[in-house]
Amino acid sequence: MYKQNLNPLNKSFIALALVLFSAPSFALQGDVTKPVRIEADTIVFNKAKGFGKYSGNVVIVQGSLQIRASEIEIKAPNSSIELITAKGSPVRFQQTMDDGKVAKGQANLLRYAVKEKKLYLDGSAELSQNNDKFSSQHIEYSTRTGELKAGVAKVKGQNTKAKGRVSAIFYPTNK
């Protein structure tokens, strides 16, 4: 596993979490006050069971944040969000940061464990901000500590024979 605290990439993870659980972030400060717009081909929602599923060309927009997925599921027993799962080929997201830079990311499977404040990206996972780019088959990110881990991980229900290396490209800011 590869570990590193990457401040420019922290913003893109936190930006995604912004729309999913309405926490403050380093993304455009005004985004958190904007309405969340969700479009999908079908929606199944059951508040009593704490379950929501958006399927088919799902598009979520909140301010400058955009998320596109084939399917997004939210598990929220007792009206408390526990797990958010997005699937796609790939799931794509992007948001403008306060400094005007655009953070982008994608993966085939995205999971956010709310209580643990952990984001998991699996399958052709990529994150970028300007020219800086980070890619791996598996990326874990703690929104609590800022720690990032990447490599091949065994994920329940996923192909555990996946091979691949972590790739990172960074450009110096002190030229």
Side-chain angles (χ1 to χ4, degrees):
M1 281 285 181
Y2 175 85
K3 295 181 182 180
Q4 187 171 348
N5 187 357
L6 302 171
N7 288 333
L9 295 176
N10 290 355
K11 293 178 182 178
S12 62
F13 285 114
I14 294 169
L16 175 63
L18 168 71
V19 74
L20 299 178
F21 64 94
S22 301
S25 78
F26 294 104
L28 282 176
Q29 289 183 11
D31 281 356
V32 74
T33 64
K34 304 285 188 203
V36 176
R37 301 187 194 295
I38 303 173
E39 292 183 11
D41 292 340
T42 61
I43 295 175
V44 176
F45 179 76
N46 187 322
K47 186 173 182 173
K49 291 184 179 181
F51 177 80
K53 184 175 182 178
Y54 305 85
S55 301
N57 301 310
V58 182
V59 177
I60 299 175
V61 176
Q62 184 182 28
S64 70
L65 176 66
Q66 296 178 19
I67 301 172
R68 297 181 180 278
S70 298
E71 177 181 292
I72 294 179
E73 276 187 23
I74 299 172
K75 292 184 181 177
N78 302 316
S79 298
S80 177
I81 298 175
E82 289 182 359
L83 181 66
I84 299 163
T85 305
K87 299 176 183 175
S89 296
V91 175
R92 296 179 193 273
F93 55 94
Q94 76 173 42
Q95 187 167 30
T96 303
M97 303 296 109
D98 276 334
D99 62 6
K101 296 177 181 176
V102 176
K104 295 181 182 182
Q106 68 179 39
N108 294 334
L109 175 66
L110 179 148
R111 293 172 293 132
Y112 185 72
V114 176
K115 289 180 182 177
E116 295 82 19
K117 296 191 181 288
K118 284 234 173 165
L119 180 66
Y120 303 90
L121 300 169
D122 287 294
S124 302
E126 292 182 6
L127 294 170
S128 65
Q129 187 174 16
N130 290 337
N131 292 329
D132 298 339
K133 186 176 180 180
F134 190 83
S135 60
S136 177
Q137 284 302 309
H138 175 79
I139 297 172
E140 295 178 20
Y141 177 75
S142 170
T143 60
R144 183 181 327 219
T145 66
E147 182 176 74
L148 183 139
K149 299 178 183 179
V152 178
K154 293 182 180 179
V155 178
K156 187 176 182 180
Q158 296 290 308
N159 178 4
T160 58
K161 296 180 182 180
K163 302 273 188 242
R165 294 180 44 88
V166 178
S167 172
I169 301 170
F170 299 101
Y171 289 83
T173 57
N174 57 349
K175 294 180 182 179

